[in-house]
Amino acid sequence: MSMSNTWWRGAAIYQVYLRSFADGNGDGVGDLAGLRSRLPYLKDLGADAIWLNPWYPSPMADGGYDVADYRGIEPVFGTLAEAEKLIAEAHELDLKIIIDVVPNHSSTASAWFQEALADPAARDRFWFRDEPNDWQSIFGGPAWTQVPDGQWYLHLFAPEQPDFNWDNPEVHQEFEDVLRFWFDRGVDGVRVDSAALLYKSDTAWQDLDPVHDVYRHWRRVADSYDDRVLIGELWLPDQESLARYLRPDELHTAFNFDFLSCPWDPHELRRVIDLTLTTHATVGAPPTWVLSNHDVTRPVTRYGRADTGFAHGGALHGTPSDPELGYRRARAAALLAMALPGGLYVYQGEELGLPEVEDLPDELRQDPMYARSGGTNPGRDGCRVPLPWSGDEPPFGFGGPSPWLPQPENWRKLTAEAQLADLDSMLNLYRTGLRLRRSLLGDGTLHWLPSGDDRVLAFTRESGVTCVANLGPEPVPLPDGEVLLASGRLEDRLLPPDTTAWLRTT
Ligand code: GLC
């Protein structure tokens, strides 16, 4: 099999946040039964693969990123037998399944941590110390918690998420075994959570050299199976550091958070796209294009603000957003991202143009970021609201009478059902875009076209498709060629502001 033909290099990967996708048993929480019943929706959308956030038994202190058992399924989501059925049914439809593996930290409810609590001699798999240092948790507050006998353990995230000690060979053994456990069950890929964090020194807690050896070993495990993929979640300061994780014997791909965080600005976007392409080319890894996920502000809301970049920490939460402008730009951004060479991620609800829900009642917020920041950071619940599927009022066909987070009353027009019936909807833009992307674009390269206006991004793909995105304030004339798809209405071959079009030019 040639490298360039492996499925993940140009795949459109749909991210399922299981708790909020579809509820099959009516308890208000999304589950495997709900997902299985909606697989045809994902197939029709044009997804090549599904990435599921953690589905393991978990006390849900951080939405499942506090994993109590890496070889099981959270009972609220279903059973291992159901997970195996899901994998089989997805494969029937030619959809790949990617799961989330969390190697940096565990759950205080895990057998290993319970053992460590009970017996100070069994603490080497975690970071126990007699004295804490001054590190702060990424979710706010101190990164150390004291146990009854006086020692402290490290948790870069919530106190319920103790960090593993990767200097302990047992931890290595455990995770290689976990990878095999799921690959043996047909899982096609693994998204590696917080992938740069694993090793710590006295002064640093991320991007330390030995972490690369971990992924070299994981790569050997993955390569001992047929065509499996390892995908890194790496928030790093620059693309060069990112590319080091994508060397040919390490991870296959990573999320492009520079693109996700980039403001709606033609110069910044062009810079990020070019930098992404050149740094990924140095290691032969396909770039990826990401507009949103379960940790960040929904694009429709972000692009409607005066500051269109994404910033961690909720700094922009609640700042004014023009919904119409944000929606138009989110459509244009979607077609831009879909036209770029490499892999594409679509976070559930992005295809419905859901806005960030910024007015959730505080007492319903569940993200630990909210409580640990003393309420200054609203957290990530606003992008995790259960999907609206059908009908005129909540729960909009999600399942059960009351979803775990309330849906806005005015999501009637945003249901999948309503949008399928509307040719101009966001959902139909994604459906058409993903279908065309598959037959015309995918993996490869791009060539920038000269343009008289540097606020217009125009490039051609080797398939002969040209993508033109107008980020300037005035309509611009389109080049010659048949228009295949546009994110907004064209008038006399003029491309309006904040609009993207695809044309066949050769
Ligand atoms: C990743 C996940 C995020 C989680 C964190 C800790 O960043 O995407 O949701 O809270 O890791 O596991």
Side-chain angles (χ1 to χ4, degrees):
M1 185 178 335
S2 94
M3 267 280 279
S4 59
N5 285 333
T6 53
W7 64 271
W8 44 269
R9 294 189 67 93
I13 300 174
Y14 185 93
Q15 179 189 351
V16 168
Y17 193 73
L18 202 51
R19 284 208 286 178
S20 303
F21 186 70
D23 172 13
N25 67 359
D27 65 358
V29 182
D31 50 31
L32 291 174
L35 173 56
R36 286 171 60 202
S37 72
R38 302 286 181 181
L39 286 178
Y41 169 85
L42 298 179
K43 183 66 190 173
D44 291 347
L45 177 63
D48 301 306
I50 300 168
W51 152 38
L52 291 105
N53 293 94
W55 58 3
Y56 316 102
S58 165
M60 295 282 155
D62 180 24
Y65 283 95
D66 45 326
V67 179
D69 171 8
Y70 288 86
R71 295 175 184 80
I73 296 292
E74 164 59 36
V76 169
F77 295 151
T79 62
L80 185 57
E82 268 182 290
E84 289 176 348
K85 279 192 199 143
L86 167 78
I87 296 167
E89 288 162 2
H91 287 171
E92 283 289 301
L93 294 172
D94 208 12
L95 289 165
K96 309 280 187 188
I97 294 285
I98 296 164
I99 62 166
D100 217 310
V101 166
V102 187
N104 178 67
H105 46 270
S106 177
S107 161
T108 44
S110 67
W112 276 10
F113 195 79
Q114 287 299 314
E115 229 180 282
L117 278 184
D119 176 6
R123 292 189 172 168
D124 190 55
R125 294 158 179 153
F126 299 95
W127 272 78
F128 277 88
R129 293 289 180 273
D130 291 331
E131 292 295 331
N133 65 12
D134 63 355
W135 289 354
Q136 295 295 295
S137 140
I138 292 166
F139 288 164
W144 298 86
T145 290
Q146 198 168 25
V147 298
D149 58 43
Q151 280 210 316
W152 301 75
Y153 67 89
L154 175 72
H155 50 86
L156 289 181
F157 295 93
E160 296 87 349
Q161 295 169 292
D163 280 44
F164 282 115
N165 170 20
W166 276 87
D167 289 317
N168 183 326
E170 254 190 287
V171 174
H172 292 246
Q173 200 50 53
E174 168 71 357
F175 275 94
E176 289 182 28
D177 196 64
V178 165
L179 292 180
R180 288 199 190 89
F181 179 90
W182 291 107
F183 286 150
D184 285 343
R185 279 163 183 75
V187 157
D188 302 284
V190 163
R191 178 258 191 194
V192 187
D193 184 69
S194 304
L197 270 45
L198 281 36
Y199 280 88
K200 286 94 191 175
S201 71
D202 287 341
T203 51
W205 49 264
Q206 74 164 336
D207 202 21
L208 294 172
D209 278 340
V211 74
H212 293 283
D213 259 336
V214 172
Y215 299 130
R216 287 193 186 102
H217 282 98
W218 287 26
R219 180 63 175 252
R220 274 181 238 155
V221 174
D223 285 352
S224 70
Y225 293 81
D226 183 27
D227 215 12
R228 311 298 160 101
V229 63
L230 300 171
I231 305 160
E233 189 222 10
L234 298 145
W235 292 90
L236 291 165
D238 55 74
Q239 293 259 343
E240 287 73 24
S241 319
L242 180 77
R244 293 181 59 225
Y245 289 79
L246 304 179
R247 289 176 287 195
D249 59 346
E250 297 192 39
L251 303 176
H252 299 78
T253 74
F255 298 96
N256 187 348
F257 293 130
D258 286 353
F259 187 71
L260 180 152
S261 307
C262 189
W264 186 244
D265 172 276
H267 310 288
E268 278 300 298
L269 278 168
R270 168 110 191 214
R271 187 186 65 77
V272 167
I273 293 168
D274 279 336
L275 186 62
T276 299
L277 295 174
T278 42
T279 42
H280 282 71
T282 60
V283 285
T288 66
W289 310 100
V290 189
L291 292 173
S292 70
N293 66 28
H294 64 293
D295 293 328
V296 308
T297 312
R298 291 276 191 193
V300 164
T301 301
R302 173 159 74 86
Y303 288 133
R305 291 172 175 162
D307 181 345
T308 51
F310 169 73
H312 279 291
L316 299 172
H317 178 83
T319 57
S321 175
D322 174 342
E324 201 226 320
L325 181 66
Y327 183 75
R328 193 163 69 233
R329 288 176 171 170
R331 291 175 63 95
L335 284 199
L336 174 65
M338 283 184 214
L340 291 165
L344 176 82
Y345 287 85
V346 178
Y347 172 49
Q348 68 178 41
E350 189 184 306
E351 83 281 16
L352 301 175
L354 298 186
E356 185 82 3
V357 181
E358 297 197 283
D359 59 356
L360 285 169
D362 286 343
E363 65 278 11
L364 296 182
R365 292 189 188 279
Q366 302 212 3
D367 185 357
M369 273 187 173
Y370 173 69
R372 290 190 61 81
S373 69
T376 55
N377 179 348
R380 302 160 294 180
D381 293 314
C383 66
R384 298 174 176 180
V385 172
L387 292 192
W389 288 98
S390 59
D392 288 332
E393 54 188 47
F396 296 115
F398 175 69
S402 47
W404 69 278
L405 281 175
Q407 301 153 310
E409 301 280 335
N410 64 3
W411 274 11
R412 190 168 49 89
K413 288 196 178 127
L414 296 178
T415 65
E417 179 186 54
Q419 296 201 41
L420 277 177
D422 172 5
L423 278 185
D424 292 330
S425 67
M426 185 74 101
L427 179 55
N428 276 318
L429 182 76
Y430 268 81
R431 283 162 59 101
T432 312
L434 290 174
R435 200 172 56 242
L436 287 175
R437 177 183 182 274
R438 182 176 295 156
S439 56
L440 302 175
L441 307 163
D443 190 20
T445 55
L446 66 73
H447 300 285
W448 291 106
L449 298 176
S451 135
D453 184 338
D454 64 1
R455 291 165 302 188
V456 176
L457 299 176
F459 57 85
T460 294
R461 298 292 312 278
E462 57 275 57
S463 54
V465 172
T466 291
C467 174
V468 188
N470 180 9
L471 283 86
E474 303 295 335
V476 294
L478 282 171
D480 290 341
E482 176 204 353
V483 176
L484 299 170
L485 186 60
S487 68
R489 220 174 285 279
L490 308 179
E491 268 168 46
D492 301 333
R493 294 196 68 88
L494 285 179
L495 185 66
D498 296 317
T499 307
T500 300
W502 292 358
L503 300 96
R504 185 190 297 282
T505 42
T506 53

